[in-house]
Amino acid sequence: MASDDPLREEITLIQDAGARAASLVRQLLAFSRKQIVCHERINFRDAILEIRKMLDRVLGEEIVLELLFDEDLWPVVADRVQFEQIFMNLVVNSRDAMLNGGTVTIEARNSNLVPGNKLEHFPSMPGEYVLLRISDTGSGMSRETSELVFEPFFTTKEVGKGTGLGLSTVYGIVKQYNGWITVSSELGVGTSFSMYFPKSEEKGDGLRDTPTEEGISIIETGSETILLVEDDIEVRKVLVKFLSRLGYKVLEAFDGGNALTVSGEFHETIHLLLTDVVMPNIHGSKLAEILKEQRPDLKIVFMSGYTEETILRYGVLKAEVDFLQKPIGLMTLAKTIRAIL
Ligand SMILES: Nc1ncnc2c1ncn2[C@@H]1O[C@H](COP(=O)(O)OP(=O)(O)O)[C@@H](O)[C@H]1O
Ligand SMILES: [Mg+2]
């Protein structure tokens, strides 16, 4: 859409609202430990530069964003979505604390903690860590408040503004990676959150490196046949439209049983099964199993909002099946499908 299109602003608002809803859903999934995590080796410097535009947008024009990185920053093992969640939560909090503008500083540093080096402050082992620190020149907090910030549902914001889940989610994520987080704050001066993540042992751990930024992504098209199984009619409609527009031939099914019928009546090749996991009657993973027997070359992509035990059992995290966490971005979907086909 052209930048002067009269509908552009509305569309942008809709898009932003959708993104916010998606991020709230992710927050709840992370909080309830229902989020699928995908471990990758991440360089915080590259990862921060990649989301810089988003951070700028969140902070607005009155707030300056300063970035400080060590050269040759060590990599850490983390999940990309969780990494973004950490940043969104901390940066939104800083923004809320700086209604009259100010500066947010994000630092990423290599940190070698040796015994005796103020280690009593760190509830963890000496060793090599990557320190991630976000500081702001905002309102700061009283001592009493700063002792409560990691508590779930603790918020000083008015109803409808705060959920009190931001920092407890961040805390949970950092812990998951055997790291830890501390806060230091002074009323009227500002606040600083420091997170320590264990340095990743280089290579040989079977993890893939984070792909580097590809710039503006061009959506890749295709012409293969996709069997789409999704019980939510709204979601299904959007996906059919999108995939058809990319050139794919799409067969639709509203549940597992229906998918078996559709597949049985279709006598040509089905290249890919794109299926929801949690569905009435036949579960997505069971469906995949049955269809794979009939069509051994079939590629499979699961979409789900849950970490269902059955998905894990079927081997989503193995190479032969791929998994997309709902809510799904259409660009991610296009890319994943192309990569698999
Ligand atoms: N950068 C900050 N500056 C001042 N206060 C903060 C900052 N970050 C968090 N807080 C305090 O911690 C509380 C909890 O934060 P959070 O868990 O993100 O929940 P929420 O933002 O929904 O209130 C906030 O309500 C606020 O009082
Ligand atoms: Mg918050």
Side-chain angles (χ1 to χ4, degrees), residues 197-257:
F197 292 86
K199 172 190 176 187
S200 142
E201 288 318 321
E202 305 283 336
K203 313 291 167 188
D205 50 9
L207 292 169
R208 63 193 163 112
D209 284 309
T210 306
T212 46
E213 199 183 3
E214 287 147 42
I216 296 169
S217 45
I218 295 157
I219 315 182
E220 289 174 280
T221 57
S223 56
E224 291 90 341
T225 301
I226 297 175
L227 174 55
L228 169 70
V229 191
E230 166 64 63
D231 56 345
D232 184 323
I233 183 163
E234 303 297 333
V235 176
R236 194 169 71 237
K237 269 198 216 154
V238 172
L239 291 177
V240 169
K241 230 184 193 169
F242 181 68
L243 293 172
S244 308
R245 232 195 290 156
L246 291 181
Y248 296 105
K249 179 174 172 62
V250 187
L251 307 171
E252 314 178 39
F254 54 81
D255 70 11

Short mmCIF file of all heavy atoms in Angstrom, two decimals, residues 197-257:
data_model
loop_
_atom_site.label_atom_id
_atom_site.label_comp_id
_atom_site.label_asym_id
_atom_site.label_seq_id
_atom_site.Cartn_x
_atom_site.Cartn_y
_atom_site.Cartn_z
N PHE A 197 23.75 -14.23 31.40
CA PHE A 197 23.49 -15.49 30.71
C PHE A 197 24.80 -16.25 30.55
O PHE A 197 25.80 -15.66 30.15
CB PHE A 197 22.95 -15.23 29.30
CG PHE A 197 21.59 -14.60 29.28
CD1 PHE A 197 21.44 -13.23 29.37
CD2 PHE A 197 20.46 -15.40 29.15
CE1 PHE A 197 20.17 -12.65 29.35
CE2 PHE A 197 19.19 -14.82 29.11
CZ PHE A 197 19.06 -13.46 29.21
N PRO A 198 24.79 -17.54 30.85
CA PRO A 198 26.02 -18.32 30.67
C PRO A 198 26.48 -18.26 29.21
O PRO A 198 25.66 -18.36 28.30
CB PRO A 198 25.63 -19.75 31.03
CG PRO A 198 24.34 -19.64 31.77
CD PRO A 198 23.68 -18.37 31.33
N LYS A 199 27.78 -18.09 29.04
CA LYS A 199 28.36 -18.10 27.68
C LYS A 199 28.11 -19.48 27.07
O LYS A 199 28.21 -20.49 27.75
CB LYS A 199 29.85 -17.85 27.81
CG LYS A 199 30.63 -18.02 26.54
CD LYS A 199 32.12 -17.99 26.84
CE LYS A 199 32.93 -18.26 25.61
NZ LYS A 199 34.36 -18.39 25.91
N SER A 200 27.82 -19.48 25.77
CA SER A 200 27.60 -20.77 25.10
C SER A 200 28.93 -21.38 24.73
O SER A 200 29.83 -20.69 24.25
CB SER A 200 26.75 -20.55 23.85
OG SER A 200 27.17 -21.39 22.82
N GLU A 201 29.06 -22.67 24.99
CA GLU A 201 30.26 -23.36 24.52
C GLU A 201 30.17 -23.42 23.01
O GLU A 201 29.15 -23.81 22.45
CB GLU A 201 30.33 -24.76 25.13
CG GLU A 201 30.66 -24.76 26.61
CD GLU A 201 31.75 -23.74 27.00
OE1 GLU A 201 32.72 -23.59 26.23
OE2 GLU A 201 31.62 -23.09 28.06
N GLU A 202 31.23 -22.97 22.37
CA GLU A 202 31.22 -22.89 20.91
C GLU A 202 30.97 -24.24 20.25
O GLU A 202 31.40 -25.26 20.74
CB GLU A 202 32.59 -22.38 20.41
CG GLU A 202 33.03 -21.08 21.01
CD GLU A 202 32.30 -19.89 20.39
OE1 GLU A 202 31.84 -20.05 19.25
OE2 GLU A 202 32.18 -18.85 21.05
N LYS A 203 30.27 -24.18 19.14
CA LYS A 203 30.11 -25.32 18.23
C LYS A 203 29.97 -26.67 18.91
O LYS A 203 30.07 -26.80 20.11
CB LYS A 203 31.32 -25.40 17.26
CG LYS A 203 31.69 -24.09 16.62
CD LYS A 203 30.64 -23.61 15.64
CE LYS A 203 30.90 -22.16 15.27
NZ LYS A 203 29.83 -21.60 14.48
N GLY A 204 29.73 -27.64 18.07
CA GLY A 204 29.75 -29.01 18.56
C GLY A 204 28.60 -29.36 19.51
O GLY A 204 28.51 -30.47 19.98
N ASP A 205 27.69 -28.40 19.77
CA ASP A 205 26.60 -28.71 20.66
C ASP A 205 25.32 -29.01 19.88
O ASP A 205 24.25 -29.11 20.43
CB ASP A 205 26.35 -27.56 21.64
CG ASP A 205 26.25 -26.22 20.95
OD1 ASP A 205 26.19 -26.22 19.70
OD2 ASP A 205 26.22 -25.20 21.63
N GLY A 206 25.47 -29.13 18.57
CA GLY A 206 24.33 -29.52 17.75
C GLY A 206 23.34 -28.40 17.49
O GLY A 206 22.33 -28.60 16.86
N LEU A 207 23.63 -27.21 17.99
CA LEU A 207 22.71 -26.10 17.76
C LEU A 207 23.07 -25.39 16.47
O LEU A 207 24.23 -25.32 16.09
CB LEU A 207 22.80 -25.10 18.91
CG LEU A 207 22.28 -25.59 20.25
CD1 LEU A 207 22.69 -24.61 21.33
CD2 LEU A 207 20.78 -25.73 20.21
N ARG A 208 22.03 -24.84 15.83
CA ARG A 208 22.34 -24.08 14.63
C ARG A 208 22.64 -22.65 15.02
O ARG A 208 22.13 -22.15 16.03
CB ARG A 208 21.19 -24.16 13.63
CG ARG A 208 19.93 -23.52 14.15
CD ARG A 208 18.75 -23.93 13.26
NE ARG A 208 17.53 -23.67 13.97
CZ ARG A 208 16.65 -22.72 13.62
NH1 ARG A 208 16.90 -21.95 12.59
NH2 ARG A 208 15.56 -22.55 14.30
N ASP A 209 23.44 -22.00 14.23
CA ASP A 209 23.70 -20.59 14.47
C ASP A 209 22.51 -19.79 13.98
O ASP A 209 21.82 -20.19 13.05
CB ASP A 209 24.95 -20.14 13.72
CG ASP A 209 26.20 -20.63 14.44
OD1 ASP A 209 26.29 -20.40 15.65
OD2 ASP A 209 27.05 -21.25 13.79
N THR A 210 22.28 -18.67 14.61
CA THR A 210 21.19 -17.81 14.19
C THR A 210 21.48 -17.31 12.78
O THR A 210 22.56 -16.83 12.51
CB THR A 210 21.13 -16.58 15.11
OG1 THR A 210 21.05 -17.05 16.43
CG2 THR A 210 19.92 -15.74 14.79
N PRO A 211 20.50 -17.47 11.89
CA PRO A 211 20.74 -16.94 10.56
C PRO A 211 20.91 -15.41 10.63
O PRO A 211 20.25 -14.77 11.44
CB PRO A 211 19.48 -17.31 9.79
CG PRO A 211 18.48 -17.75 10.79
CD PRO A 211 19.19 -18.06 12.06
N THR A 212 21.77 -14.88 9.82
CA THR A 212 21.97 -13.44 9.87
C THR A 212 20.83 -12.74 9.16
O THR A 212 20.11 -13.32 8.36
CB THR A 212 23.30 -13.04 9.22
OG1 THR A 212 23.38 -13.74 7.99
CG2 THR A 212 24.46 -13.40 10.11
N GLU A 213 20.70 -11.49 9.43
CA GLU A 213 19.58 -10.72 8.91
C GLU A 213 19.59 -10.71 7.38
O GLU A 213 20.62 -10.56 6.76
CB GLU A 213 19.68 -9.28 9.41
CG GLU A 213 18.38 -8.55 9.29
CD GLU A 213 18.51 -7.10 9.73
OE1 GLU A 213 19.63 -6.68 10.04
OE2 GLU A 213 17.50 -6.41 9.72
N GLU A 214 18.40 -10.88 6.82
CA GLU A 214 18.35 -10.96 5.37
C GLU A 214 17.80 -9.69 4.75
O GLU A 214 17.48 -9.64 3.58
CB GLU A 214 17.47 -12.14 4.95
CG GLU A 214 18.15 -13.47 5.18
CD GLU A 214 17.15 -14.54 5.55
OE1 GLU A 214 16.08 -14.58 4.95
OE2 GLU A 214 17.46 -15.33 6.47
N GLY A 215 17.69 -8.65 5.53
CA GLY A 215 17.18 -7.40 5.01
C GLY A 215 15.69 -7.49 4.76
O GLY A 215 15.00 -8.27 5.39
N ILE A 216 15.19 -6.70 3.85
CA ILE A 216 13.76 -6.73 3.56
C ILE A 216 13.45 -8.06 2.90
O ILE A 216 14.04 -8.40 1.88
CB ILE A 216 13.37 -5.56 2.64
CG1 ILE A 216 13.63 -4.24 3.35
CG2 ILE A 216 11.91 -5.69 2.20
CD1 ILE A 216 13.53 -3.03 2.47
N SER A 217 12.54 -8.80 3.50
CA SER A 217 12.31 -10.13 2.95
C SER A 217 11.34 -10.07 1.79
O SER A 217 10.33 -9.38 1.81
CB SER A 217 11.80 -11.05 4.05
OG SER A 217 10.80 -10.39 4.77
N ILE A 218 11.70 -10.82 0.77
CA ILE A 218 10.80 -10.97 -0.36
C ILE A 218 10.04 -12.26 -0.11
O ILE A 218 10.64 -13.26 0.26
CB ILE A 218 11.63 -11.07 -1.66
CG1 ILE A 218 12.35 -9.74 -1.87
CG2 ILE A 218 10.75 -11.44 -2.83
CD1 ILE A 218 13.56 -9.83 -2.74
N ILE A 219 8.73 -12.23 -0.26
CA ILE A 219 7.98 -13.45 0.01
C ILE A 219 8.19 -14.41 -1.13
O ILE A 219 7.99 -14.07 -2.30
CB ILE A 219 6.47 -13.19 0.14
CG1 ILE A 219 6.22 -11.97 1.00
CG2 ILE A 219 5.78 -14.40 0.71
CD1 ILE A 219 4.74 -11.71 1.20
N GLU A 220 8.59 -15.61 -0.74
CA GLU A 220 8.83 -16.61 -1.78
C GLU A 220 7.54 -17.34 -2.11
O GLU A 220 6.80 -17.74 -1.22
CB GLU A 220 9.88 -17.60 -1.29
CG GLU A 220 11.25 -16.98 -1.24
CD GLU A 220 12.24 -17.93 -0.62
OE1 GLU A 220 12.27 -18.01 0.60
OE2 GLU A 220 12.95 -18.61 -1.39
N THR A 221 7.33 -17.53 -3.38
CA THR A 221 6.11 -18.18 -3.83
C THR A 221 6.40 -19.64 -4.16
O THR A 221 7.53 -20.09 -4.08
CB THR A 221 5.57 -17.48 -5.07
OG1 THR A 221 6.60 -17.50 -6.05
CG2 THR A 221 5.20 -16.04 -4.76
N GLY A 222 5.35 -20.39 -4.50
CA GLY A 222 5.53 -21.78 -4.85
C GLY A 222 4.31 -22.29 -5.57
O GLY A 222 3.32 -21.57 -5.71
N SER A 223 4.36 -23.54 -6.05
CA SER A 223 3.22 -24.04 -6.79
C SER A 223 2.82 -25.43 -6.34
O SER A 223 2.02 -26.10 -6.98
CB SER A 223 3.56 -24.04 -8.28
OG SER A 223 4.73 -24.81 -8.47
N GLU A 224 3.39 -25.89 -5.24
CA GLU A 224 3.09 -27.24 -4.76
C GLU A 224 1.68 -27.32 -4.14
O GLU A 224 1.02 -26.31 -3.94
CB GLU A 224 4.12 -27.67 -3.70
CG GLU A 224 5.51 -27.91 -4.25
CD GLU A 224 6.38 -26.67 -4.24
OE1 GLU A 224 5.82 -25.55 -4.15
OE2 GLU A 224 7.61 -26.81 -4.32
N THR A 225 1.29 -28.53 -3.81
CA THR A 225 -0.03 -28.74 -3.20
C THR A 225 0.11 -28.89 -1.69
O THR A 225 0.92 -29.67 -1.20
CB THR A 225 -0.68 -30.01 -3.80
OG1 THR A 225 -0.79 -29.83 -5.21
CG2 THR A 225 -2.06 -30.23 -3.20
N ILE A 226 -0.70 -28.11 -0.99
CA ILE A 226 -0.67 -28.13 0.47
C ILE A 226 -2.03 -28.55 1.00
O ILE A 226 -3.06 -28.03 0.58
CB ILE A 226 -0.33 -26.72 1.01
CG1 ILE A 226 1.07 -26.31 0.56
CG2 ILE A 226 -0.44 -26.69 2.54
CD1 ILE A 226 1.46 -24.89 0.96
N LEU A 227 -2.02 -29.50 1.92
CA LEU A 227 -3.26 -29.86 2.61
C LEU A 227 -3.28 -29.12 3.94
O LEU A 227 -2.43 -29.34 4.81
CB LEU A 227 -3.31 -31.38 2.84
CG LEU A 227 -4.48 -31.91 3.68
CD1 LEU A 227 -5.83 -31.50 3.14
CD2 LEU A 227 -4.41 -33.45 3.80
N LEU A 228 -4.24 -28.21 4.05
CA LEU A 228 -4.34 -27.38 5.25
C LEU A 228 -5.45 -27.89 6.15
O LEU A 228 -6.60 -28.00 5.72
CB LEU A 228 -4.64 -25.94 4.83
CG LEU A 228 -5.03 -24.98 5.96
CD1 LEU A 228 -3.84 -24.68 6.84
CD2 LEU A 228 -5.60 -23.70 5.38
N VAL A 229 -5.12 -28.21 7.38
CA VAL A 229 -6.12 -28.72 8.32
C VAL A 229 -6.18 -27.78 9.52
O VAL A 229 -5.21 -27.63 10.26
CB VAL A 229 -5.77 -30.14 8.81
CG1 VAL A 229 -6.95 -30.74 9.56
CG2 VAL A 229 -5.36 -31.02 7.65
N GLU A 230 -7.32 -27.15 9.67
CA GLU A 230 -7.47 -26.15 10.73
C GLU A 230 -8.94 -26.08 11.09
O GLU A 230 -9.77 -25.89 10.22
CB GLU A 230 -6.92 -24.81 10.21
CG GLU A 230 -7.28 -23.59 11.02
CD GLU A 230 -6.70 -23.61 12.44
OE1 GLU A 230 -5.46 -23.61 12.56
OE2 GLU A 230 -7.50 -23.64 13.40
N ASP A 231 -9.26 -26.22 12.38
CA ASP A 231 -10.68 -26.24 12.73
C ASP A 231 -11.28 -24.85 12.93
O ASP A 231 -12.48 -24.68 12.85
CB ASP A 231 -10.95 -27.14 13.96
CG ASP A 231 -10.13 -26.74 15.16
OD1 ASP A 231 -9.16 -25.96 14.99
OD2 ASP A 231 -10.44 -27.20 16.27
N ASP A 232 -10.43 -23.88 13.14
CA ASP A 232 -10.94 -22.51 13.30
C ASP A 232 -11.15 -21.90 11.91
O ASP A 232 -10.20 -21.67 11.16
CB ASP A 232 -9.93 -21.69 14.10
CG ASP A 232 -10.44 -20.28 14.39
OD1 ASP A 232 -11.11 -19.70 13.51
OD2 ASP A 232 -10.17 -19.77 15.48
N ILE A 233 -12.41 -21.63 11.60
CA ILE A 233 -12.74 -21.22 10.23
C ILE A 233 -12.08 -19.90 9.84
O ILE A 233 -11.63 -19.73 8.71
CB ILE A 233 -14.27 -21.20 10.00
CG1 ILE A 233 -14.57 -20.84 8.55
CG2 ILE A 233 -14.97 -20.24 10.94
CD1 ILE A 233 -15.96 -21.18 8.11
N GLU A 234 -11.99 -18.98 10.79
CA GLU A 234 -11.39 -17.67 10.48
C GLU A 234 -9.93 -17.83 10.11
O GLU A 234 -9.44 -17.29 9.12
CB GLU A 234 -11.49 -16.73 11.69
CG GLU A 234 -12.90 -16.50 12.21
CD GLU A 234 -13.79 -15.82 11.19
OE1 GLU A 234 -13.26 -15.08 10.34
OE2 GLU A 234 -15.02 -16.04 11.22
N VAL A 235 -9.23 -18.59 10.95
CA VAL A 235 -7.80 -18.82 10.71
C VAL A 235 -7.62 -19.54 9.37
O VAL A 235 -6.74 -19.20 8.57
CB VAL A 235 -7.18 -19.65 11.86
CG1 VAL A 235 -5.72 -19.98 11.56
CG2 VAL A 235 -7.30 -18.90 13.18
N ARG A 236 -8.49 -20.52 9.13
CA ARG A 236 -8.37 -21.30 7.90
C ARG A 236 -8.55 -20.41 6.67
O ARG A 236 -7.79 -20.49 5.71
CB ARG A 236 -9.39 -22.44 7.89
CG ARG A 236 -9.11 -23.48 6.82
CD ARG A 236 -9.96 -24.72 7.00
NE ARG A 236 -11.35 -24.47 6.68
CZ ARG A 236 -12.36 -24.67 7.52
NH1 ARG A 236 -12.14 -25.14 8.73
NH2 ARG A 236 -13.61 -24.42 7.16
N LYS A 237 -9.55 -19.53 6.73
CA LYS A 237 -9.83 -18.64 5.60
C LYS A 237 -8.62 -17.77 5.27
O LYS A 237 -8.25 -17.62 4.11
CB LYS A 237 -11.01 -17.73 5.95
CG LYS A 237 -12.35 -18.27 5.53
CD LYS A 237 -13.32 -17.10 5.52
CE LYS A 237 -14.70 -17.48 5.97
NZ LYS A 237 -15.46 -16.38 6.54
N VAL A 238 -8.04 -17.18 6.32
CA VAL A 238 -6.88 -16.30 6.11
C VAL A 238 -5.72 -17.08 5.48
O VAL A 238 -5.08 -16.63 4.55
CB VAL A 238 -6.42 -15.67 7.45
CG1 VAL A 238 -5.11 -14.93 7.27
CG2 VAL A 238 -7.50 -14.74 7.98
N LEU A 239 -5.49 -18.29 6.02
CA LEU A 239 -4.37 -19.09 5.53
C LEU A 239 -4.58 -19.53 4.08
O LEU A 239 -3.65 -19.48 3.27
CB LEU A 239 -4.15 -20.31 6.42
CG LEU A 239 -3.63 -20.01 7.84
CD1 LEU A 239 -3.52 -21.29 8.65
CD2 LEU A 239 -2.30 -19.28 7.80
N VAL A 240 -5.81 -19.93 3.76
CA VAL A 240 -6.10 -20.37 2.38
C VAL A 240 -5.84 -19.21 1.42
O VAL A 240 -5.19 -19.36 0.38
CB VAL A 240 -7.56 -20.86 2.23
CG1 VAL A 240 -7.91 -21.04 0.76
CG2 VAL A 240 -7.76 -22.16 2.98
N LYS A 241 -6.33 -18.06 1.78
CA LYS A 241 -6.18 -16.89 0.92
C LYS A 241 -4.70 -16.57 0.71
O LYS A 241 -4.24 -16.36 -0.41
CB LYS A 241 -6.84 -15.69 1.61
CG LYS A 241 -7.78 -14.93 0.72
CD LYS A 241 -8.30 -13.73 1.44
CE LYS A 241 -9.48 -13.15 0.68
NZ LYS A 241 -10.18 -12.15 1.44
N PHE A 242 -3.98 -16.55 1.81
CA PHE A 242 -2.57 -16.20 1.75
C PHE A 242 -1.77 -17.21 0.92
O PHE A 242 -1.03 -16.84 0.01
CB PHE A 242 -2.02 -16.11 3.17
CG PHE A 242 -0.57 -15.74 3.25
CD1 PHE A 242 -0.14 -14.47 2.87
CD2 PHE A 242 0.37 -16.64 3.70
CE1 PHE A 242 1.20 -14.12 2.94
CE2 PHE A 242 1.72 -16.30 3.79
CZ PHE A 242 2.13 -15.03 3.41
N LEU A 243 -1.97 -18.49 1.21
CA LEU A 243 -1.21 -19.52 0.51
C LEU A 243 -1.57 -19.57 -0.98
O LEU A 243 -0.71 -19.76 -1.83
CB LEU A 243 -1.44 -20.89 1.16
CG LEU A 243 -0.88 -21.03 2.58
CD1 LEU A 243 -1.34 -22.33 3.23
CD2 LEU A 243 0.65 -20.94 2.58
N SER A 244 -2.85 -19.36 -1.28
CA SER A 244 -3.27 -19.37 -2.69
C SER A 244 -2.62 -18.21 -3.41
O SER A 244 -2.19 -18.33 -4.56
CB SER A 244 -4.79 -19.24 -2.82
OG SER A 244 -5.42 -20.21 -2.03
N ARG A 245 -2.58 -17.07 -2.74
CA ARG A 245 -1.98 -15.91 -3.38
C ARG A 245 -0.49 -16.13 -3.67
O ARG A 245 0.06 -15.57 -4.60
CB ARG A 245 -2.17 -14.67 -2.50
CG ARG A 245 -2.79 -13.53 -3.29
CD ARG A 245 -2.64 -12.23 -2.56
NE ARG A 245 -3.50 -12.21 -1.37
CZ ARG A 245 -3.26 -11.45 -0.32
NH1 ARG A 245 -2.21 -10.66 -0.29
NH2 ARG A 245 -4.08 -11.46 0.70
N LEU A 246 0.15 -16.96 -2.85
CA LEU A 246 1.56 -17.25 -3.09
C LEU A 246 1.75 -18.25 -4.22
O LEU A 246 2.86 -18.50 -4.65
CB LEU A 246 2.20 -17.82 -1.82
CG LEU A 246 2.37 -16.86 -0.64
CD1 LEU A 246 3.04 -17.58 0.52
CD2 LEU A 246 3.18 -15.65 -1.04
N GLY A 247 0.64 -18.83 -4.69
CA GLY A 247 0.74 -19.73 -5.83
C GLY A 247 0.50 -21.19 -5.50
O GLY A 247 0.47 -22.04 -6.39
N TYR A 248 0.36 -21.52 -4.23
CA TYR A 248 0.17 -22.91 -3.86
C TYR A 248 -1.24 -23.36 -4.18
O TYR A 248 -2.18 -22.56 -4.18
CB TYR A 248 0.42 -23.11 -2.35
CG TYR A 248 1.84 -22.83 -1.95
CD1 TYR A 248 2.18 -21.67 -1.27
CD2 TYR A 248 2.86 -23.72 -2.29
CE1 TYR A 248 3.49 -21.39 -0.92
CE2 TYR A 248 4.18 -23.46 -1.94
CZ TYR A 248 4.49 -22.29 -1.26
OH TYR A 248 5.78 -22.03 -0.92
N LYS A 249 -1.36 -24.65 -4.45
CA LYS A 249 -2.69 -25.23 -4.58
C LYS A 249 -3.06 -25.71 -3.18
O LYS A 249 -2.34 -26.50 -2.57
CB LYS A 249 -2.63 -26.41 -5.55
CG LYS A 249 -3.95 -27.10 -5.75
CD LYS A 249 -3.82 -28.16 -6.85
CE LYS A 249 -5.06 -29.02 -6.97
NZ LYS A 249 -6.28 -28.29 -7.32
N VAL A 250 -4.18 -25.19 -2.66
CA VAL A 250 -4.53 -25.50 -1.28
C VAL A 250 -5.77 -26.39 -1.19
O VAL A 250 -6.81 -26.07 -1.74
CB VAL A 250 -4.79 -24.21 -0.47
CG1 VAL A 250 -4.99 -24.56 1.00
CG2 VAL A 250 -3.64 -23.23 -0.63
N LEU A 251 -5.61 -27.53 -0.52
CA LEU A 251 -6.76 -28.36 -0.19
C LEU A 251 -7.10 -28.07 1.26
O LEU A 251 -6.22 -28.07 2.12
CB LEU A 251 -6.39 -29.85 -0.32
CG LEU A 251 -5.77 -30.30 -1.65
CD1 LEU A 251 -5.27 -31.74 -1.53
CD2 LEU A 251 -6.79 -30.18 -2.77
N GLU A 252 -8.38 -27.80 1.55
CA GLU A 252 -8.73 -27.48 2.93
C GLU A 252 -9.46 -28.60 3.62
O GLU A 252 -10.25 -29.30 2.99
CB GLU A 252 -9.75 -26.33 3.02
CG GLU A 252 -9.55 -25.16 2.22
CD GLU A 252 -10.71 -24.17 2.43
OE1 GLU A 252 -11.20 -24.02 3.58
OE2 GLU A 252 -11.13 -23.56 1.44
N ALA A 253 -9.23 -28.71 4.92
CA ALA A 253 -10.00 -29.65 5.72
C ALA A 253 -10.25 -29.02 7.08
O ALA A 253 -9.42 -28.28 7.59
CB ALA A 253 -9.24 -30.95 5.89
N PHE A 254 -11.44 -29.32 7.65
CA PHE A 254 -11.80 -28.67 8.90
C PHE A 254 -11.44 -29.49 10.12
O PHE A 254 -11.49 -29.00 11.24
CB PHE A 254 -13.29 -28.26 8.92
CG PHE A 254 -14.23 -29.39 8.62
CD1 PHE A 254 -14.57 -30.30 9.61
CD2 PHE A 254 -14.77 -29.54 7.35
CE1 PHE A 254 -15.42 -31.35 9.33
CE2 PHE A 254 -15.64 -30.57 7.06
CZ PHE A 254 -15.97 -31.50 8.06
N ASP A 255 -11.09 -30.76 9.92
CA ASP A 255 -10.56 -31.55 11.03
C ASP A 255 -9.83 -32.78 10.48
O ASP A 255 -9.74 -32.97 9.27
CB ASP A 255 -11.63 -31.92 12.06
CG ASP A 255 -12.64 -32.94 11.53
OD1 ASP A 255 -12.40 -33.52 10.45
OD2 ASP A 255 -13.66 -33.14 12.20
N GLY A 256 -9.35 -33.62 11.38
CA GLY A 256 -8.55 -34.77 10.97
C GLY A 256 -9.29 -35.74 10.06
O GLY A 256 -8.77 -36.15 9.02
N GLY A 257 -10.52 -36.07 10.44
CA GLY A 257 -11.30 -37.01 9.65
C GLY A 257 -11.56 -36.48 8.25
O GLY A 257 -11.41 -37.18 7.25
#
